[in-house]
Amino acid sequence: MKKIILFLSVVGVLMFSATAAHAQLSVGAGYDYAKFSLRDGEGGKEPSDALNGFYVGVDYNVRIWKGLGIAPGVQYEFTDGTVDKESDIKFQEHYLNIPIDINYYFRLGSLFGIGVSLTPSFNIGLASELRQPGAGSMDLYDIWNEIGLGEAGESLGVENPYGRFDFMLGVGLSVDLFKHIRVKARYDFGLVNRVSAIGDLDPDLAGAVKLNRNRLQVGVAYVF
């Protein structure tokens, strides 16, 4: 029994060492472009004005087989923009994102490479604020208190009509330059209806209004 445990321990250490030898840490930042898509129950679609911002993040890519790898990461995202030009209403959001990048890299010699990726991403809204000059601001994650309903709104069984959590699925392309520089671009499709809780307020509205958030990120990372 002791020999079996010893054998498994040695195998585990060797596997961990092999994995670590094929792992890469990268730190990056770049431009962030976000846009909401609003659909009503009659099939109408109304895109919003774009929000612009930036992201910073870190990931750890573990090569599984040849060029195939998985890179879990953590990312901070900030976007800001005008959503109603006539009233000059601005919309600002902060997110903590957890992307899991499933990638495959094609090496073009020792210094260059091209990668493609499929990336599910779990996103947590940290702050979401509407601002209008002269009228103050409104926190969408605390909407009941903002509009003066307080506990009365929560008693309806809906904590927040605008959902804090999102799940995205992205497709990306990257280029490695001189071993340590990685230029990346990824487009993420928002799969969660951010206002699905409206259906809890009125069953007749369940699924009638859908608000999804899509995103484009373009940036540069340093690969250690």
Side-chain angles (χ1 to χ4, degrees):
M1 185 64 179
K2 291 183 178 179
K3 292 183 179 180
I4 295 177
I5 295 176
L6 178 61
F7 173 76
L8 293 176
S9 299
V10 171
V11 171
V13 170
L14 292 175
M15 290 180 63
F16 176 80
S17 300
T19 300
H22 294 85
Q24 291 180 315
L25 175 69
S26 67
V27 178
Y31 168 70
D32 195 289
Y33 173 95
K35 202 165 188 177
F36 284 89
S37 177
L38 177 65
R39 295 177 176 83
D40 58 34
E42 299 179 354
K45 181 178 180 181
E46 183 179 345
S48 71
D49 292 325
L51 303 179
N52 299 282
F54 67 91
Y55 74 90
V56 292
V58 59
D59 64 39
Y60 192 74
N61 187 40
V62 178
R63 198 189 326 172
I64 298 175
W65 176 75
K66 293 187 177 180
L68 180 65
I70 296 180
V74 178
Q75 183 186 92
Y76 166 75
E77 176 189 3
F78 168 82
T79 56
D80 182 80
T82 300
V83 293
D84 188 332
K85 295 182 180 179
E86 293 184 2
S87 302
D88 196 23
I89 298 177
K90 300 183 183 299
F91 188 36
Q92 184 180 101
E93 291 201 295
H94 303 256
Y95 285 92
L96 175 65
N97 304 325
I98 305 174
I100 301 175
D101 196 54
I102 304 169
N103 55 77
Y104 194 94
Y105 280 92
F106 303 88
R107 303 309 306 177
L108 304 175
S110 60
L111 299 179
F112 303 98
I114 296 177
V116 293
S117 62
L118 180 68
T119 307
S121 177
F122 303 90
N123 310 316
I124 304 169
L126 302 176
S128 183
E129 183 181 70
L130 285 173
R131 293 177 284 111
Q132 185 177 18
S137 62
M138 177 180 293
D139 182 359
L140 294 186
Y141 295 137
D142 191 26
I143 191 67
W144 297 130
N145 289 322
E146 293 284 354
I147 63 178
L149 289 180
E151 295 181 359
E154 296 182 3
S155 68
L156 297 174
V158 179
E159 182 179 350
N160 185 13
Y162 180 62
R164 185 183 293 271
F165 301 99
D166 200 359
F167 176 75
M168 291 179 160
L169 186 62
V171 290
L173 178 67
S174 62
V175 177
D176 284 5
L177 305 172
F178 309 109
K179 290 187 178 181
H180 295 293
I181 304 301
R182 179 168 293 165
V183 181
K184 305 173 65 176
R186 189 179 75 236
Y187 191 85
D188 297 298
F189 299 89
L191 304 182
V192 174
N193 177 14
R194 301 294 294 278
V195 293
S196 61
I198 291 178
D200 296 330
L201 291 172
D202 186 349
D204 293 334
L205 295 177
V209 180
K210 295 182 178 180
L211 184 68
N212 298 86
R213 178 176 181 268
N214 300 323
R215 177 182 66 198
L216 171 68
Q217 293 185 333
V218 180
V220 179
Y222 184 84
V223 182
F224 292 89

